[in-house]
Amino acid sequence: MGEAQTYDRRTAGLLIAAIVGVTMLLAIVVGGGDDSFDPGDFAPAAEATLPPDSQPSPAAEPATDGPQVPPVDCRSLLTQEERDEALGTWERDVIPSSVFFEGNESCSERFAEEDGFFVRIEPGSADDFQPDARLLGVSGQPIAGVGDGAVWFSGEASDGSELRVLSVRQAIPTGVLVYRVALGRPDLDDPTQLEITKSLALSALPRFPEVELAAPEPTVITFEHLPQDRSDMSFVDNLEARQDGGEWTLGEGLVATLRYFVGDAEAAEVLRHSEVFDASGTGVIRLAREYENSGPDSDARAEVSQLLAQLVRRFEPPEPPSDEGESAGASASPKSAGRSVSVVSVAQEEPECVESWFGLACVVETGSILLDDQFGGGKYRLFHPETAEGPVAGWDSDHIAAAADAMEAAALIYELFTAEFNGMPSIELILTPLGSIDAHSDTSNVLDDNDTCLVSLNTPLQSLPELHFQQRIAAEMAFCLIDRTFPTTAGGWWTDALSIYLSDVVFFEANLEHKDLPGLLATSELETTILDRRSTNWIFFEHLHGFLTTKGIFELIESLPPLSGFEGVEDLLHTFAQGLTDISVPDQTPGQITPYEPESRLVEITGPTVVIEDPLPFGVFRMHASVPPGETACVEYEQSGEFTWSWRPEPPGAWAALPAELTGESIYLVTASKPGAQFTMTVTEVTEDDCEEDPDDTDASDCLLDLICGPSGYYVVDFEVVPSN
């Protein structure tokens, strides 16, 4: 024998129901045997030959002068799931029959093995709503919350059967819909049967033709853009956040921050958070130089100047040894063998020592033969503090060699990038004994006669892996490039980000920029804009690199301000938002994607809903729309102002135009580059069917299954309900 086939009870029930339903339909259509079809079987329903327990009420005579509505297919008024739930089909583990036509557009469903369990829907009567109305001898009780009015007939009928019928009326433009829902559940008490019957009646009501129920008030959803505390992002963000909060003036904030840099203040006195994402002090140094020149508080200006003198030092060590022989003071780093780096010690007898940091040590210069040959001697210089015993403050020969390598790698690439612009300034790097911040650069001289950018690399960098250490050096050197190439626009949203991006170009395998990015950007992305952020905008440049290359990015920066003036910025902004959403922004490392964890505004759509969003210029509105399984949301859209929008299903699919129908999970994106934009999404209904336009008018004489013709018996002329005394 072949493989055994197994069926659960539900499958068997559906199979039996299908067979019985087809058999009954064939009997109705073609007739035969003792059950041959007689047109009289359909009028009136009271003459049908069903058992009394499934035929609890006599249907009204078909209306011939009522609204001219085609016959109603009562099979479509209740779903199989709704009937199963009402009858407790699966809880009681029984097999249902199919839905039977019973004449005059009436339908019922009952069980093959049991009597007394059934659901029936049939045309009603205007008489059910009159005072003292009775149905099969049972008085009615008005029920609220269903249609324009409903009456519950419950009790022992005149024929001895138990009657549970809810009669409903609903006004339509041309008259009144009247229908009855009967339930047989002998295992339940009367209140429970009433609630089940009401649920069936409410489910059926909107499925009748001509019914135009007043739509419920839609849920209106708007989103408030809350201020974000970004004081944990950088020292500048911390300074400005406390200034905006009235905690200090700009001068006071600069003095406090610089005192922290030199080690004269504790972090808790200066920072809102224990650490910041971008631990470079360059942005504060830039602000301090500006304040030193034009700050309003003379006392603060003087203290700022004193602190800057401690933070930023230039050294003029003796000339390196002549080619005739090595100086007695010269020393070579163990890692310098075979490299283009020359290490020159200037540690002399103590009286002749060139002072370094507060008298702690002398200065030693590490040069690069390669850079000297290509760009001239002395353009790129590296210093570190050293005594007769060797480097001090935790620096060692490995750090010095790695720093020299980083200087060479960054210089070669940055010289190439700036060849068509202003070129690179001279750069002096020094490894310092300062321990509060990673690094800081003073770019204030890049346009002066000496044209030298001073980069200080501090002891916290010692704890980094070598590649991260080198990427931080490249990032600080990038500030020198930026202030030389874009002297009038440096600062703001792009400077810190561009330095990080450029360092990633040089050391693309280091990925230091990935540190904490998913959390730091994701928590603020929807509340802020590119123009509000600083360091985390490096990922925007990673995205731009795929479209513009680094040269194109430089040309974009040259066009600033404003960013909105750059041609094609709307497309760049929107594709960037799509890349973040799809987690597809490419990294400089070949074949890698920048990690990210995008957040979305969740909107659960269960009924009429209006979503209104005023997108922030250079921000992003990302919405996760969720529609219950098996349902469809019918959607319309309005646009005010200029913005770009797109949509895709979830999980990730292709981005597309906005849909008129929504199912399941999906993502919306809206971006704008100008103020005054507004996006409105209106869900008109949530249905189990497809969203369709209003059907064309049909002739009331249309026939159902070529059997029931003429106007429907569910509709009557309008009638007055006389209040009871």
Side-chain angles (χ1 to χ4, degrees), residues 93-111:
D93 199 23
V94 294
I95 300 175
S97 72
S98 63
V99 178
F100 293 97
F101 279 108
E102 297 173 1
N104 275 359
E105 306 164 273
S106 302
C107 291
S108 73
E109 180 170 352
R110 65 188 186 280
F111 290 95

mmCIF file of all heavy atoms in Angstrom, residues 93-111:
data_model
loop_
_atom_site.group_PDB
_atom_site.id
_atom_site.type_symbol
_atom_site.label_atom_id
_atom_site.label_comp_id
_atom_site.label_asym_id
_atom_site.label_seq_id
_atom_site.Cartn_x
_atom_site.Cartn_y
_atom_site.Cartn_z
ATOM 1 N N ASP A 93 -15.001 20.022 19.452
ATOM 2 C CA ASP A 93 -14.479 18.923 18.639
ATOM 3 C C ASP A 93 -15.592 18.203 17.880
ATOM 4 O O ASP A 93 -15.747 16.989 17.955
ATOM 5 C CB ASP A 93 -13.711 17.928 19.513
ATOM 6 C CG ASP A 93 -12.783 17.045 18.666
ATOM 7 O OD1 ASP A 93 -12.421 17.475 17.556
ATOM 8 O OD2 ASP A 93 -12.452 15.945 19.116
ATOM 9 N N VAL A 94 -16.377 18.989 17.149
ATOM 10 C CA VAL A 94 -17.462 18.421 16.347
ATOM 11 C C VAL A 94 -17.268 18.828 14.902
ATOM 12 O O VAL A 94 -16.519 19.743 14.587
ATOM 13 C CB VAL A 94 -18.842 18.885 16.859
ATOM 14 C CG1 VAL A 94 -19.114 18.321 18.233
ATOM 15 C CG2 VAL A 94 -18.923 20.399 16.871
ATOM 16 N N ILE A 95 -17.960 18.162 14.033
ATOM 17 C CA ILE A 95 -17.833 18.413 12.598
ATOM 18 C C ILE A 95 -19.044 19.220 12.143
ATOM 19 O O ILE A 95 -20.185 18.788 12.298
ATOM 20 C CB ILE A 95 -17.763 17.092 11.815
ATOM 21 C CG1 ILE A 95 -16.548 16.281 12.281
ATOM 22 C CG2 ILE A 95 -17.679 17.369 10.317
ATOM 23 C CD1 ILE A 95 -16.470 14.910 11.657
ATOM 24 N N PRO A 96 -18.835 20.420 11.584
ATOM 25 C CA PRO A 96 -19.971 21.232 11.144
ATOM 26 C C PRO A 96 -20.468 20.822 9.768
ATOM 27 O O PRO A 96 -19.785 20.133 9.019
ATOM 28 C CB PRO A 96 -19.362 22.627 11.086
ATOM 29 C CG PRO A 96 -17.953 22.377 10.676
ATOM 30 C CD PRO A 96 -17.556 21.084 11.351
ATOM 31 N N SER A 97 -21.654 21.255 9.479
ATOM 32 C CA SER A 97 -22.147 21.120 8.114
ATOM 33 C C SER A 97 -21.775 22.383 7.367
ATOM 34 O O SER A 97 -21.198 23.304 7.923
ATOM 35 C CB SER A 97 -23.668 20.947 8.107
ATOM 36 O OG SER A 97 -24.290 22.175 8.453
ATOM 37 N N SER A 98 -22.121 22.481 6.090
ATOM 38 C CA SER A 98 -21.876 23.698 5.341
ATOM 39 C C SER A 98 -23.042 24.662 5.548
ATOM 40 O O SER A 98 -24.016 24.366 6.222
ATOM 41 C CB SER A 98 -21.726 23.367 3.858
ATOM 42 O OG SER A 98 -22.938 22.820 3.377
ATOM 43 N N VAL A 99 -22.911 25.833 4.935
ATOM 44 C CA VAL A 99 -23.986 26.820 4.991
ATOM 45 C C VAL A 99 -25.031 26.444 3.950
ATOM 46 O O VAL A 99 -24.717 26.191 2.788
ATOM 47 C CB VAL A 99 -23.436 28.230 4.701
ATOM 48 C CG1 VAL A 99 -24.565 29.240 4.724
ATOM 49 C CG2 VAL A 99 -22.386 28.593 5.734
ATOM 50 N N PHE A 100 -26.318 26.418 4.359
ATOM 51 C CA PHE A 100 -27.399 26.043 3.461
ATOM 52 C C PHE A 100 -28.246 27.250 3.109
ATOM 53 O O PHE A 100 -28.607 28.041 3.985
ATOM 54 C CB PHE A 100 -28.297 24.981 4.108
ATOM 55 C CG PHE A 100 -27.621 23.652 4.304
ATOM 56 C CD1 PHE A 100 -27.066 23.313 5.524
ATOM 57 C CD2 PHE A 100 -27.538 22.750 3.258
ATOM 58 C CE1 PHE A 100 -26.447 22.094 5.705
ATOM 59 C CE2 PHE A 100 -26.916 21.526 3.436
ATOM 60 C CZ PHE A 100 -26.370 21.201 4.658
ATOM 61 N N PHE A 101 -28.580 27.377 1.812
ATOM 62 C CA PHE A 101 -29.640 28.293 1.432
ATOM 63 C C PHE A 101 -30.969 27.708 1.894
ATOM 64 O O PHE A 101 -31.216 26.509 1.749
ATOM 65 C CB PHE A 101 -29.694 28.460 -0.096
ATOM 66 C CG PHE A 101 -28.684 29.427 -0.621
ATOM 67 C CD1 PHE A 101 -27.585 28.992 -1.326
ATOM 68 C CD2 PHE A 101 -28.852 30.787 -0.410
ATOM 69 C CE1 PHE A 101 -26.654 29.878 -1.817
ATOM 70 C CE2 PHE A 101 -27.933 31.684 -0.900
ATOM 71 C CZ PHE A 101 -26.827 31.232 -1.603
ATOM 72 N N GLU A 102 -31.815 28.587 2.429
ATOM 73 C CA GLU A 102 -33.104 28.103 2.905
ATOM 74 C C GLU A 102 -34.270 28.861 2.265
ATOM 75 O O GLU A 102 -35.390 28.795 2.752
ATOM 76 C CB GLU A 102 -33.174 28.232 4.429
ATOM 77 C CG GLU A 102 -32.120 27.373 5.115
ATOM 78 C CD GLU A 102 -32.073 27.611 6.603
ATOM 79 O OE1 GLU A 102 -32.872 28.426 7.093
ATOM 80 O OE2 GLU A 102 -31.247 26.981 7.266
ATOM 81 N N GLY A 103 -33.981 29.613 1.229
ATOM 82 C CA GLY A 103 -35.045 30.364 0.577
ATOM 83 C C GLY A 103 -35.069 31.798 1.053
ATOM 84 O O GLY A 103 -34.728 32.110 2.197
ATOM 85 N N ASN A 104 -35.506 32.700 0.152
ATOM 86 C CA ASN A 104 -35.601 34.122 0.487
ATOM 87 C C ASN A 104 -34.303 34.667 1.084
ATOM 88 O O ASN A 104 -34.331 35.359 2.095
ATOM 89 C CB ASN A 104 -36.765 34.373 1.462
ATOM 90 C CG ASN A 104 -38.076 34.534 0.720
ATOM 91 O OD1 ASN A 104 -38.113 34.476 -0.515
ATOM 92 N ND2 ASN A 104 -39.158 34.717 1.454
ATOM 93 N N GLU A 105 -33.152 34.315 0.507
ATOM 94 C CA GLU A 105 -31.847 34.856 0.900
ATOM 95 C C GLU A 105 -31.468 34.499 2.338
ATOM 96 O O GLU A 105 -30.705 35.208 2.976
ATOM 97 C CB GLU A 105 -31.832 36.378 0.736
ATOM 98 C CG GLU A 105 -32.232 36.865 -0.644
ATOM 99 C CD GLU A 105 -32.572 38.338 -0.645
ATOM 100 O OE1 GLU A 105 -33.744 38.675 -0.369
ATOM 101 O OE2 GLU A 105 -31.659 39.157 -0.909
ATOM 102 N N SER A 106 -31.993 33.420 2.863
ATOM 103 C CA SER A 106 -31.681 32.997 4.225
ATOM 104 C C SER A 106 -30.604 31.921 4.196
ATOM 105 O O SER A 106 -30.543 31.109 3.282
ATOM 106 C CB SER A 106 -32.934 32.444 4.917
ATOM 107 O OG SER A 106 -33.956 33.411 4.934
ATOM 108 N N CYS A 107 -29.761 31.916 5.233
ATOM 109 C CA CYS A 107 -28.694 30.930 5.362
ATOM 110 C C CYS A 107 -28.637 30.427 6.799
ATOM 111 O O CYS A 107 -28.921 31.161 7.742
ATOM 112 C CB CYS A 107 -27.330 31.541 5.017
ATOM 113 S SG CYS A 107 -27.105 31.945 3.272
ATOM 114 N N SER A 108 -28.253 29.150 6.948
ATOM 115 C CA SER A 108 -28.015 28.634 8.296
ATOM 116 C C SER A 108 -26.877 27.632 8.235
ATOM 117 O O SER A 108 -26.530 27.112 7.178
ATOM 118 C CB SER A 108 -29.276 27.978 8.863
ATOM 119 O OG SER A 108 -29.527 26.735 8.222
ATOM 120 N N GLU A 109 -26.290 27.390 9.406
ATOM 121 C CA GLU A 109 -25.290 26.344 9.538
ATOM 122 C C GLU A 109 -25.607 25.572 10.817
ATOM 123 O O GLU A 109 -25.875 26.163 11.869
ATOM 124 C CB GLU A 109 -23.876 26.918 9.623
ATOM 125 C CG GLU A 109 -22.818 25.824 9.759
ATOM 126 C CD GLU A 109 -21.395 26.341 9.604
ATOM 127 O OE1 GLU A 109 -21.223 27.517 9.240
ATOM 128 O OE2 GLU A 109 -20.462 25.559 9.845
ATOM 129 N N ARG A 110 -25.611 24.263 10.711
ATOM 130 C CA ARG A 110 -25.893 23.441 11.878
ATOM 131 C C ARG A 110 -24.940 22.259 11.864
ATOM 132 O O ARG A 110 -24.154 22.102 10.925
ATOM 133 C CB ARG A 110 -27.358 22.972 11.875
ATOM 134 C CG ARG A 110 -27.710 22.042 10.716
ATOM 135 C CD ARG A 110 -29.219 21.781 10.676
ATOM 136 N NE ARG A 110 -29.577 20.800 9.680
ATOM 137 C CZ ARG A 110 -29.709 21.039 8.384
ATOM 138 N NH1 ARG A 110 -29.524 22.262 7.930
ATOM 139 N NH2 ARG A 110 -30.030 20.074 7.540
ATOM 140 N N PHE A 111 -25.007 21.390 12.870
ATOM 141 C CA PHE A 111 -24.101 20.257 12.990
ATOM 142 C C PHE A 111 -24.776 18.974 12.544
ATOM 143 O O PHE A 111 -25.980 18.791 12.720
ATOM 144 C CB PHE A 111 -23.610 20.108 14.427
ATOM 145 C CG PHE A 111 -22.681 21.204 14.830
ATOM 146 C CD1 PHE A 111 -23.153 22.314 15.496
ATOM 147 C CD2 PHE A 111 -21.338 21.145 14.502
ATOM 148 C CE1 PHE A 111 -22.305 23.331 15.850
ATOM 149 C CE2 PHE A 111 -20.484 22.161 14.854
ATOM 150 C CZ PHE A 111 -20.958 23.265 15.534
#
